[in-house]
Amino acid sequence: MSSPSNIGILALELYIPTTYISQSDLEHYDKESKGKYTIGLGQTEMSCIGDREDINSISATVLLQLLEKHNICPSQIGRIEIGTETIQDKSKSTKTYLMSYLQNSYNIEGVTSYNACYGGVQALFNTVAWMESSSWDGKLGIVIASDIAVYEKGPARPTGGVGAIGILIGPNAPLVLDSLRTSYMEHAYDFYKPIPSSEYPVVDGHFSVNCYLKAVSQCFEDLKRKTGAMTLDALGDYWCFHAPYHKMTIKAFFQIASDDLSSRLPHFDAKDKQSWGIVNEYLKPLWNEKCEKATRLGKRVGNIYCGSLFMSLKSLLAFEDIEEVCEN
Amino acid sequence: MSSPSNIGILALELYIPTTYISQSDLEHYDKESKGKYTIGLGQTEMSCIGDREDINSISATVLLQLLEKHNICPSQIGRIEIGTETIQDKSKSTKTYLMSYLQNSYNIEGVTSYNACYGGVQALFNTVAWMESSSWDGKLGIVIASDIAVYEKGPARPTGGVGAIGILIGPNAPLVLDSLRTSYMEHAYDFYKPIPSSEYPVVDGHFSVNCYLKAVSQCFEDLKRKTGAMTLDALGDYWCFHAPYHKMTIKAFFQIASDDLSSRLPHFDAKDKQSWGIVNEYLKPLWNEKCEKATRLGKRVGNIYCGSLFMSLKSLLAFEDIEEVCEN
């Protein structure tokens, strides 16, 4: 098999249920102060699933969307990998379930990748590596990142959401994946589901926020070092973040922006509001240029865990001039 | 990063608890006929876990065995992937938990791979592909395949077992992974855990046996086609099977042997006992030469799901002349 080049994203399909809750209605229903969810979390709506869909069906929906919209036969697919942390039962993989939609095609690798919201990203990395490997069979890869985020009554509930993303991976792609990357993984009891009979996670938002900001900060630091970029501005044309809720995205942006300014302006103090006032002129255009468009879908859908980062990419492609994104 | 060559298995560590049940004692306890488990399933003992270990701890055990026995620092590791279908809670990945043993090493990719007993094999394939990919960071990879197989009272119970395998992957390995392979995946309700509060799977052995034999048969057929091997005998020096129980391994061997004989001897009839008698002379040495040594550990430990195939490899290496295996 000859080595493929320019491996990346050929197509990106999104599925969100048509039902949703207005966050301002939810504030009212929960008897919370006006603006707690809409301004405090930055969310405007939240997608909701009914009882006739589950993680298997929404994953199948994006798989079939990819096959039908892009005229792909099952026999052209050599690998399907699902990133999810939503479990229909405690053993059967969503990947096996999806095989029932691929009649007569049995030689399809890939499993369900399972690691908090990171499963979808690892599924993407694995699929691209498979295509670069000596075992590639010349076929296309599909990555599905899907989750149903349900929280029990309380502070985490308004950040729930549901969505599935299907990504078609192949050579000569308009969106090529760069081989340069860095990761940060740490053990924390920020989010887990220790009660087997309950769908609800135990969430400690404090740990989640800290762990995520530490990861974002360290990864940008590593990327600056690896690329030799002297300023944050020089590092990429657009930035897509995982978006558990909109304000978290802003926090992540401010974290790396303040890291960047601290490293260049010795008197910059991230805790001093006046310092922020002075540099606001620098930060606002940077946010608008690199981040804002990628956050629009997430504000309306909520956290979809594994698919969240890819929904940000979908949002960027939907609201930015697509040709410009692909050329950059 | 220069391209690595001869990527494969540098080390293979096995962990099995010291506690076990004798299968003949279990026959007696279950008031079953003598030989039902020992002859019918071909199992002699079954490893048992206590209440002070779980999937995270046994996975950590083999991780630490690999690091300590082979003098590996966490900073030398670039990827850890766990193949398992044993869930401690419904969200937290065993991979994240293992990060707590790798102080100051945060840039470690890999997640938990989840797909019935196949998760460990996919974890191995993903890790080798990562090492062959343009994103490889020059570090070593670790694959852990571990499971605790518990069944409720009834026919499946004596095939349970527990075990964890840790595999160190790197270049210039004594056991190099060939890039030639083929897969068979099909959706079947043979094994699933639809009751969230229960550890026990629902098992339909009939579906499992059929699906597995179909897969083994199709994969050998594909491999014969891909390699141009005219007879089964020409296809590999040793064969390691997934081993839910010893008799299943024998069934798999007989399936491919009878496929092979049917394709070469037009009058061979797999259902005719006399035909088998005639070719027994051909089959018995083939089994002894290629399969038997790989099945010895599994007979004593039971089914360990994701690690089962790798325990067969460990068994082969333990009972066959290791240098001969590595040279072949």
Side-chain angles (χ1 to χ4, degrees), chain A residues 253-272:
Chain A
F253 171 74
F254 269 64
Q255 176 70 46
I256 53 171
S258 94
D259 287 353
D260 181 52
L261 292 170
S262 301
S263 71
R264 292 190 292 131
L265 310 173
H267 300 296
F268 174 78
D269 177 4
K271 283 174 193 149
D272 173 21

Side-chain angles (χ1 to χ4, degrees), chain B residues 124-144:
Chain B
L124 177 73
F125 289 168
N126 288 343
T127 303
V128 172
W130 163 75
M131 206 162 271
E132 286 187 342
S133 80
S134 56
S135 296
W136 183 51
D137 61 0
K139 296 187 175 177
L140 298 167
I142 286 179
V143 171
I144 294 171

Side-chain angles (χ1 to χ4, degrees), chain A residues 79 89-90 93 95 106-107 109-110 112 114-115 122 132 134-135 179 181 183 185 193 196 199 218, chain B residues 79 89-90 93 95 106 109-110 112 114-115 122 132 134-135 179 181 183 185 193 196 199 218:
Chain A
R79 185 184 165 99
D89 79 62
K90 286 174 72 191
S93 162
K95 163 65 195 306
Y106 56 79
N107 188 1
E109 292 189 20
T112 300
Y114 172 86
N115 199 115
Q122 187 66 62
E132 286 186 343
S134 56
S135 297
S179 64
R181 67 179 185 238
S183 301
M185 194 173 275
K193 294 181 181 171
E199 277 310 298
Q218 187 64 55
Chain B
R79 185 184 166 99
D89 78 62
K90 285 175 70 192
S93 161
K95 163 64 195 306
Y106 55 80
E109 291 188 21
T112 301
Y114 172 85
N115 200 115
Q122 188 65 64
E132 286 187 342
S134 56
S135 296
S179 64
R181 67 180 183 238
S183 302
M185 193 173 277
K193 294 182 182 172
E199 278 309 299
Q218 187 63 55

Side-chain angles (χ1 to χ4, degrees), chain A residues 286-312:
Chain A
L286 199 63
W287 167 265
N288 285 336
E289 187 193 331
K290 290 183 188 286
C291 309
E292 191 275 332
K293 290 190 181 74
T295 67
R296 291 187 197 175
L297 278 180
K299 284 171 85 164
R300 305 198 57 183
V301 174
N303 185 10
I304 61 167
Y305 295 171
C306 278
S308 185
L309 173 69
F310 301 108
M311 189 162 66
S312 300

Side-chain angles (χ1 to χ4, degrees), chain A residues 187-206:
Chain A
H187 164 65
Y189 277 116
D190 61 331
F191 182 106
Y192 54 116
K193 294 181 181 171
I195 307 156
S197 58
S198 166
E199 277 310 298
Y200 301 138
V202 174
V203 185
D204 192 327
H206 183 70

Side-chain angles (χ1 to χ4, degrees), chain B residues 252-325:
Chain B
F253 170 75
F254 270 64
Q255 175 69 46
I256 53 172
S258 92
D259 289 351
D260 181 51
L261 291 171
S262 302
S263 71
R264 292 190 291 132
L265 309 174
H267 299 297
F268 174 78
D269 177 4
K271 282 174 193 148
D272 172 23
K273 285 209 169 174
Q274 219 175 353
S275 286
W276 280 106
I278 295 164
V279 293
N280 217 8
E281 229 169 297
Y282 164 73
L283 290 179
K284 198 131 190 210
L286 200 63
W287 166 265
N288 285 338
E289 186 194 330
K290 292 184 187 282
C291 309
E292 191 274 331
K293 289 191 182 75
T295 67
R296 292 189 194 175
L297 277 180
K299 283 170 87 163
R300 305 199 56 184
V301 174
N303 186 11
I304 61 166
Y305 295 170
C306 278
S308 185
L309 173 69
F310 300 108
M311 189 162 69
S312 299
L313 179 60
K314 186 80 184 172
S315 184
L316 173 68
L317 294 169
F319 294 106
E320 186 61 90
D321 181 325
I322 291 187
E323 282 184 15
E324 196 183 310
V325 174

Side-chain angles (χ1 to χ4, degrees), chain B residues 77-266:
Chain B
I77 305 297
R79 185 184 166 99
I80 297 175
E81 186 166 346
I82 325 292
T84 188
E85 55 179 302
T86 307
I87 290 172
Q88 192 59 20
D89 78 62
K90 285 175 70 192
S91 160
K92 192 149 174 57
S93 161
T94 295
K95 163 64 195 306
T96 344
Y97 177 82
L98 294 182
M99 292 305 294
S100 55
Y101 294 91
L102 304 161
Q103 295 92 339
N104 303 320
S105 290
Y106 55 80
N107 188 1
I108 295 182
E109 291 188 21
V111 297
T112 301
S113 281
Y114 172 85
N115 200 115
C117 302
Y118 174 73
V121 174
Q122 188 65 64
L124 177 73
F125 289 168
N126 288 343
T127 303
V128 172
W130 163 75
M131 206 162 271
E132 286 187 342
S133 80
S134 56
S135 296
W136 183 51
D137 61 0
K139 296 187 175 177
L140 298 167
I142 286 179
V143 171
I144 294 171
S146 54
D147 267 304
I148 301 170
V150 283
Y151 294 91
E152 70 183 332
K153 215 167 153 38
R157 175 162 288 175
T159 66
V162 52
I165 298 267
I167 310 169
L168 188 67
I169 307 287
N172 308 318
L175 268 178
V176 175
L177 205 82
D178 196 307
S179 64
L180 181 81
R181 67 180 183 238
T182 190
S183 302
Y184 184 99
M185 193 173 277
E186 189 182 288
H187 164 66
Y189 276 116
D190 62 332
F191 181 105
Y192 54 116
K193 294 182 182 172
I195 306 156
S197 58
S198 166
E199 278 309 299
Y200 301 139
V202 174
V203 185
D204 191 324
H206 183 71
F207 284 142
S208 261
V209 171
N210 283 353
C211 190
Y212 184 61
L213 292 183
K214 216 160 132 185
V216 165
S217 179
Q218 187 63 55
C219 285
F220 265 85
E221 196 54 45
D222 286 353
L223 286 177
K224 276 167 77 177
R225 191 174 39 77
K226 285 185 178 185
T227 56
M230 296 302 289
T231 67
L232 197 61
D233 194 12
L235 202 64
D237 298 301
Y238 304 97
W239 304 337
C240 294
F241 292 99
H242 172 60
Y245 52 94
H246 183 64
K247 263 292 168 64
M248 190 67 230
T249 322
I250 295 176
K251 276 185 192 173
F253 170 75
F254 270 64
Q255 175 69 46
I256 53 172
S258 92
D259 289 351
D260 181 51
L261 291 171
S262 302
S263 71
R264 292 190 291 132
L265 309 174

